[in-house]
Amino acid sequence: MKDAAQKKGIEVSIKAVPVAEFKDNIDTADIVLLGPQVKYEHAKLQAIAEPMGKTVAVIDMMDYGMMKGDVVLDKAMKMMES
């Protein structure tokens, strides 16, 4: 995702953290993307993020597995626009 953003000239801050650190990072996040291996956490984390006006989404398993950072970045940017 970082490489894709750089190629597109988009300035972003992307970091990966464990689910256990969600609450420590949600205040500074615009959007939270979950790896497919923790999609079972989605409803719980979205319930925490929603009152803050934040979105939590699960990265598509194929995009994640194929390391399609450009596709994941595009999807995240579209979610942030809506």
Side-chain angles (χ1 to χ4, degrees):
M1 288 180 69
K2 289 179 183 179
D3 289 342
Q6 189 174 24
K7 287 177 186 173
K8 293 180 179 202
I10 301 170
E11 190 174 325
V12 295
S13 173
I14 299 170
K15 68 179 187 177
V17 298
V19 171
E21 294 180 20
F22 175 84
K23 289 181 181 178
D24 297 334
N25 289 278
I26 188 63
D27 288 334
T28 58
D30 293 319
I31 187 168
V32 175
L33 301 177
L34 300 176
Q37 69 274 21
V38 292
K39 68 180 178 183
Y40 63 91
E41 297 276 9
H42 180 253
K44 177 180 84 173
L45 300 178
Q46 182 61 48
I48 295 167
E50 197 165 20
M52 302 170 81
K54 314 251 178 164
T55 301
V56 177
V58 178
I59 300 171
D60 179 80
M61 186 183 309
M62 289 297 289
D63 294 338
Y64 186 88
M66 304 278 295
M67 295 176 41
K68 294 184 177 179
D70 57 332
V71 174
V72 176
L73 178 66
D74 288 345
K75 288 179 180 179
M77 298 297 286
K78 286 178 185 165
M79 282 185 257
M80 288 175 43
E81 290 171 5
S82 55

